[in-house]
Amino acid sequence: MEYIIVSDIFGKTAHLSHFARQFNAKSIIVDPYDGQLQPVIDEQLQYDLFITECGHDNYFNKLNTILSRVTKPTTVIGFSAGGAAAWRSQATVKNSQIKRLVAFYPNQVRHYLDLSASVACEFIFAKQEVHFDILPVLACLEQQIKVQCQRADYGHGFMNPLSKGFDSFGYQQYNQYLLTENN
């Protein structure tokens, strides 16, 4: 199994690179900034930069190109904007080599509930979100046979130390879960 790690708005970071290396397989990181490290100062400024430099639709299109070229069994792991782009892309590309999607707190999926899972999809939402009610989104997604959803006991961004929502225990818990499930 190979891995495609789709970053959040922070892009490729030392932490995400370390995360990707933990899997005993080939992995690549897809990010909004073409691998250029970003000087993260503030989460809101980083979001503004993401919208300016890439945006949700461009990120989705970029990922479509990458997923359409996959030739070996691959798991996609996406975070926030990356998880939402991966949801959209798996439904569009429908590459049979993409075997699984795990998406952490992919808020934007709420705008794409009409899409269908072409692969096994697991959504790990934050305990709660500021901008919307998670429960109707969970209820809608869980109607699909290939979709599983859960709410973590942590806030949005709990897997990323650069996020104000980072939770060390939550990171360790879900990191171990991914490594156990995928190695």
Side-chain angles (χ1 to χ4, degrees):
M1 186 69 66
E2 294 185 354
Y3 297 89
I4 296 175
I5 312 299
V6 191
S7 83
D8 56 17
I9 61 169
F10 294 99
K12 185 176 181 180
T13 64
H15 173 76
L16 193 61
S17 296
H18 171 75
F19 173 84
R21 284 192 302 270
Q22 294 179 97
F23 297 98
N24 294 323
K26 179 183 173 190
S27 65
I28 65 165
I29 295 174
V30 179
D31 74 285
Y33 316 106
D34 298 323
Q36 298 296 312
L37 296 177
Q38 301 301 302
V40 177
I41 300 166
D42 172 82
E43 199 158 346
Q44 183 60 51
L45 291 175
Q46 191 66 40
Y47 181 77
D48 295 343
L49 180 68
F50 168 76
I51 294 300
T52 302
E53 296 291 320
C54 184
H56 294 288
D57 289 338
N58 287 337
Y59 205 17
F60 159 66
N61 290 327
K62 179 179 192 172
L63 192 55
N64 283 347
T65 301
I66 292 165
L67 294 190
S68 68
R69 295 178 181 161
V70 170
T71 60
K72 295 181 180 175
T74 300
T75 293
V76 178
I77 302 172
F79 299 93
S80 194
W87 167 246
R88 293 172 66 193
S89 190
Q90 65 78 35
T92 301
V93 173
K94 297 180 182 170
N95 183 335
S96 64
Q97 292 301 320
I98 305 299
K99 301 300 184 185
R100 182 175 179 215
L101 165 63
V102 180
F104 286 87
Y105 35 85
N107 288 359
Q108 294 295 316
V109 301
R110 71 186 188 272
H111 302 299
Y112 303 99
L113 297 175
D114 58 326
L115 298 178
S116 296
S118 65
V119 301
C121 294
E122 182 173 5
F123 293 100
I124 302 167
F125 285 95
K127 180 173 29 179
Q128 64 184 34
E129 292 289 352
V130 175
H131 303 292
F132 70 102
D133 183 1
I134 294 172
L135 295 179
V137 175
L138 291 172
C140 184
L141 289 169
E142 288 178 330
Q143 292 178 15
Q144 295 194 42
I145 295 169
K146 293 183 179 182
V147 173
Q148 292 182 332
C149 296
Q150 61 177 288
R151 283 174 74 182
D153 291 330
Y154 314 103
H156 187 98
F158 73 86
M159 293 291 288
N160 186 342
L162 296 175
S163 172
K164 61 186 171 194
F166 177 68
D167 187 286
S168 179
F169 183 77
Y171 172 80
Q172 291 172 4
Q173 176 187 348
Y174 280 94
N175 189 50
Q176 185 61 43
Y177 167 72
L178 290 171
L179 292 173
T180 302
E181 288 285 311
N182 293 294
N183 280 329

